[in-house]
Each structure stands twice: as C-alpha cells, then as structure tokens.
Amino acid sequence: MKFLKQLIIMIVASCVLAVGAMAVEPQKNDQKPPPPKEKQDVPKPDKTPPPPPRNDNGNRGGSEGKKGKP
C-alpha cells in the first residue's frame, strides 16, 4: 500500500509540473500573419516555334543494303 500511495503521489506531482510548464510557455498565437503581397505581372518570353516535322519517318541514310522494300 505504501508503494501504491507513493506511485499515485508521483503521478499527480508529475502532472502538476507538466501543466505548470505548459502555462509558463509564451503564446505563439500572438503573432500576426504577414500582410498579403500584391500580385505582380511577370512578362513571359515568346516561345520559339518547334522545328518542322520530318517526312522521312526518322530514317537516316540511303536504302542501300536493306532487305524488303526496293
């Protein structure tokens, strides 16, 4: 019983100390958020047009030495 009584007293004392420590901390909600920034227009550079598509289906070189199509 003596051990149980000391255990309960230690638990209550630690809870009291924890609550006291939380009460001493400064409040973090006192700070105001920064004011909103004005929206700025950023000029976008003109895009260069893509190169024209190749009509050779990506093949390079001649048709020498290839089997199949003449």
Side-chain angles (χ1 to χ4, degrees):
M1 285 301 266
K2 186 175 181 182
F3 177 72
L4 183 62
K5 185 177 177 182
Q6 287 180 346
L7 182 65
I8 292 172
I9 292 172
M10 287 176 51
I11 292 172
V12 170
S14 64
C15 289
V16 169
L17 289 174
V19 170
M22 288 192 308
V24 175
E25 289 184 11
Q27 297 293 325
K28 295 181 181 179
N29 295 334
D30 291 341
Q31 298 176 353
K32 294 181 180 178
K37 295 182 178 180
E38 295 180 14
K39 189 173 183 180
Q40 297 177 354
D41 293 331
V42 179
K44 294 183 180 179
D46 294 335
K47 293 183 178 179
T48 57
R54 298 189 315 190
N55 292 331
D56 62 353
N57 295 328
N59 295 330
R60 295 182 181 175
S63 61
E64 296 175 359
K66 295 186 176 180
K67 298 180 181 176
K69 295 182 181 178

